[in-house]
Amino acid sequence: MNNSTPTGVYANGNDNKKFKGDRPPCSPSRVLHLRKIPSDVTEAEVISLGLPFGKVTNLLMLKGKSQAFLEMASEEAAVTMVNYYTPVTPHLRSQPVFIQYSNHRELKTDNLPNQAQDDPEHAHNFFSSLWTYLPEGQRAQAALQAVSAVPSGSLALPGAPTNEGTILPGQSPVLRIIIENLFYPVTLEVLHQIFSKFGTVLKIITFTKNNQFQALLQYADPVNAHYAKMALDGQNIYNACCTLRIDFSKLTSLNVKYNNDKSRDFTRLDLPTGDGQPSLEPPMAAAFGAPGIISSPYAGAAGFAPAIGFHQATGLSVPAVPGALGPLTITSSAVTGRMAIPGAGALPGNSVLLVTNLNPDLITPHGLFILFGVYGDVHRVKIMFNKKENALVQMADASQAQLAMNHLSGQRLYGKVLRATLSKHQAVQLPREGQEDQGLTKDFSNSPLHRFKKPGSKNFQNIFPPSATLHLSNIPPSVTVDDLKNLFTEAGCSVKAFKFFQKDRKMALIQLGSVEEAIQALIELHNHDLGENHHLRVSFSKSTI
């Protein structure tokens, strides 16, 4: 084994050891192969690439070859990570890093400390103090032991270049962002694009205080906020201007009243735009000492960022941020909140998705309507006549399209990994009269199966990523446990667990063999007629049985 290979770590698989150029793409694996790693990069920085997508369970550094293997806890997390970094290349120490699936199915670890399993606090202290005495190869294991052992919200990686040192208990998932040298407009969409690199962004509020453009941004987890601050503080969004100054907010949660160009709650698609209304409630505004938010809510007033001339700024490139930003391109349309990313070729206002790598023998417009309808109201679906593994899905609006893309891209459906990106098309055209279509284009705009037509519907509060556990509702009293188990078994699923809700027998949870099984079951059985004028409602659950 190469001298730079960590002691006690080896790959269990059949990777070709001669990594010459790009290899043919491998099938999805929870082990990822990273190439062109800078020689001075720390294990913690490599791990930080994977953390926003889920737990990292192992790391193999081959510094002599400028390569690394990163093992995620699940294949789903690895697929999401690869899919995320495909259009925008991640950077470490200002150098692009290339990520692809490995032929390895897992990385094996031998002869390393196990204290972390039993006592997280001891593990954290043990690895911090041991860090300087470990050989380079075992540092990766120490970092991972610390990551795995320390509870979420108190993570600190030895060797990570951070001013904070550790994540303190109770640290806020909310960041306060000040943008200095604001020579070009910075929109809410631009901030979302940048900060989403580090995890799920739940809410953003932008405002002006002391003549400075500022934002409050809430992550789902304080760990994501910690890594975003570590990597982005002091970086420029555009060359030599729009500098990010980032601190943790004293607030632990944001209360957004309106979804517009000044504030956004990405978990609440039902919020009004609130034209002429402030984005913040008075108590929260008072907490910032920012009365301008209340008194002058719109563009050009003291409450928000000044309108700035945009002089032929086409093609401004965002400098590489270690572990975060790839080369984004801000076009002149940024002045209206539009951000162009290489490879995307679409505008954030677009509600049409291009869905690729479908199984042409099994996919139907109705199937895509049901699946994408979990995340928004699908108006039209078009499967390509000459290339049936590709389809266009038109959602009710751009935010629903973004939500569906984020949750479904990278998921397995009928044996293939589905890909979803924003389309260049602004709408799905229906076939002209007499034009041959084979039923591949369908208009669902008046379908009674839309989940989000009613403002304030409970469905807005119950949007979750695909999972092996499904939530069932609208079950009539006469239907038994066995009836429902048999229904899913006949649909080709392996039922692992089932339970009715104690307080409401109209609802139940059913756990299937895999996420892919659950996705396919949802497509087949949502709206299934159970008799007694009851049609089964199926959605993904955040719970397990």
Side-chain angles (χ1 to χ4, degrees):
M1 192 173 265
N2 187 289
N3 291 336
S4 61
T5 301
T7 309
V9 184
Y10 60 93
N12 182 25
N14 303 303
D15 250 290
N16 179 359
K17 299 295 185 232
K18 298 175 183 176
F19 299 111
K20 292 183 179 176
D22 289 331
R23 298 173 302 163
C26 300
S27 60
S29 164
R30 67 191 183 101
V31 179
L32 301 173
H33 176 214
L34 285 65
R35 295 178 293 121
K36 301 197 176 176
I37 301 285
S39 58
D40 57 346
V41 80
T42 66
E43 288 79 0
E45 287 173 278
V46 176
I47 292 168
S48 73
L49 288 177
L51 278 179
F53 306 94
K55 186 178 177 183
V56 178
T57 50
N58 216 336
L59 174 67
L60 169 61
M61 297 280 283
L62 302 171
K63 286 194 174 178
K65 293 185 175 182
S66 300
Q67 296 173 17
F69 290 92
L70 193 72
E71 180 187 271
M72 303 298 291
S74 68
E75 186 177 300
E76 284 83 3
V79 167
T80 304
M81 180 174 167
V82 169
N83 187 59
Y84 194 91
Y85 286 136
T86 296
V88 182
T89 305
H91 285 61
L92 288 175
R93 303 284 175 110
S94 301
Q95 293 187 38
V97 175
F98 299 94
I99 302 175
Q100 61 195 52
Y101 298 116
S102 169
N103 282 328
H104 301 318
R105 301 294 102 184
E106 62 179 330
L107 298 176
K108 294 274 185 152
T109 308
D110 293 336
N111 306 323
L112 286 165
N114 291 316
Q115 292 93 324
Q117 307 299 324
D118 306 314
D119 184 356
E121 187 175 349
H122 168 76
H124 187 266
N125 295 335
F126 172 78
F127 287 114
S128 296
S129 60
L130 185 65
W131 187 256
T132 53
Y133 301 104
L134 281 172
E136 179 183 301
Q138 288 192 6
R139 286 191 180 190
Q141 294 309 308
L144 280 160
Q145 292 272 15
V147 171
S148 304
V150 179
S152 176
S154 57
L155 170 65
L157 289 181
T162 171
N163 299 326
E164 304 299 321
T166 61
I167 289 188
L168 301 172
Q171 183 171 290
S172 173
V174 179
L175 295 176
R176 182 171 187 150
I177 302 155
I178 297 173
I179 301 176
E180 297 177 346
N181 305 316
L182 190 69
F183 297 151
Y184 298 110
V186 174
T187 64
L188 185 148
E189 283 82 6
V190 170
L191 291 174
H192 184 258
Q193 181 70 50
I194 292 168
F195 283 83
S196 289
K197 276 299 203 182
F198 295 88
T200 303
V201 174
L202 300 183
K203 304 170 187 179
I204 302 177
I205 297 169
T206 62
F207 57 97
T208 295
K209 180 183 174 186
N210 300 332
N211 291 322
Q212 287 183 311
F213 180 60
Q214 302 188 22
L216 290 162
L217 183 144
Q218 181 180 342
Y219 278 105
D221 193 305
V223 172
N224 304 126
H226 179 82
Y227 274 95
K229 181 182 184 305
M230 184 175 87
L232 296 176
D233 189 25
Q235 299 292 338
N236 296 328
I237 297 177
Y238 305 119
N239 284 335
C241 69
C242 300
T243 307
L244 293 165
R245 301 294 179 202
I246 304 170
D247 280 305
F248 291 103
S249 171
K250 292 177 183 176
L251 296 167
T252 55
S253 181
L254 301 179
N255 187 9
V256 176
K257 294 176 68 178
Y258 304 106
N259 281 341
N260 52 38
D261 59 341
K262 306 301 178 193
S263 65
R264 195 78 51 83
D265 185 335
F266 296 96
T267 68
R268 292 283 308 278
L269 301 180
D270 58 321
L271 290 179
T273 57
D275 289 343
Q277 297 296 322
S279 297
L280 295 177
E281 292 183 342
M284 190 176 285
F288 306 137
I293 296 172
I294 300 302
S295 59
S296 309
Y298 269 84
F304 287 112
I308 295 173
F310 206 94
H311 301 293
Q312 299 300 319
T314 307
L316 290 173
S317 63
V318 179
V321 177
L325 295 172
L328 301 175
T329 303
I330 309 299
T331 67
S332 57
S333 61
V335 75
T336 56
R338 294 172 176 175
M339 187 174 190
I341 304 164
L347 305 179
N350 196 354
S351 61
V352 180
L353 296 172
L354 171 64
V355 186
T356 59
N357 204 38
L358 296 166
N359 185 324
D361 299 323
L362 296 173
I363 201 64
T364 64
H366 178 78
L368 289 171
F369 163 70
I370 294 295
L371 178 58
F372 280 77
V374 173
Y375 300 105
D377 292 337
V378 176
H379 284 190
R380 291 179 180 176
V381 177
K382 182 184 192 73
I383 294 176
M384 304 300 189
F385 186 80
N386 294 320
K387 200 170 185 185
K388 293 185 173 61
E389 60 267 28
N390 294 347
L392 294 173
V393 177
Q394 183 177 335
M395 308 295 289
D397 60 43
S399 59
Q400 292 184 7
Q402 190 75 41
L403 199 62
M405 181 174 75
N406 290 348
H407 282 303
L408 293 176
S409 192
Q411 298 292 341
R412 293 184 75 85
L413 175 62
Y414 302 128
K416 302 191 74 171
V417 177
L418 174 156
R419 304 285 182 210
T421 56
L422 289 174
S423 169
K424 295 176 183 177
H425 297 281
Q426 296 299 303
V428 171
Q429 300 298 323
L430 294 175
R432 293 187 299 275
E433 194 173 336
Q435 183 181 355
E436 188 183 1
D437 180 64
Q438 296 179 352
L440 296 176
T441 306
K442 295 285 185 184
D443 189 323
F444 297 101
S445 53
N446 294 317
S447 171
L449 297 183
H450 286 162
R451 297 178 189 242
F452 304 101
K453 263 187 177 171
K454 288 183 185 174
S457 164
K458 280 186 177 179
N459 292 331
F460 285 106
Q461 311 302 319
N462 295 304
I463 297 173
F464 303 111
S467 63
T469 304
L470 295 173
H471 179 274
L472 312 180
S473 59
N474 204 32
I475 303 167
S478 60
V479 172
T480 66
V481 172
D482 287 340
D483 290 335
L484 289 166
K485 282 185 175 180
N486 290 338
L487 180 66
F488 280 83
T489 303
E490 288 164 9
C493 303
S494 54
V495 178
K496 301 296 183 185
F498 182 95
K499 75 169 183 182
F500 276 111
F501 280 56
Q502 282 185 329
K503 293 182 180 178
D504 187 355
R505 207 185 162 285
K506 291 177 185 174
M507 297 192 292
L509 294 177
I510 188 165
Q511 190 171 326
L512 305 180
S514 67
V515 176
E516 183 178 9
E517 272 189 25
I519 291 173
Q520 290 165 201
L522 182 142
I523 289 172
E524 187 163 338
L525 297 175
H526 179 65
N527 201 45
H528 180 83
D529 190 352
L530 292 173
E532 302 176 43
N533 203 25
H534 283 66
H535 286 77
L536 182 66
R537 293 185 61 81
V538 185
S539 54
F540 297 114
S541 174
K542 65 177 178 181
S543 308
T544 54
I545 303 173

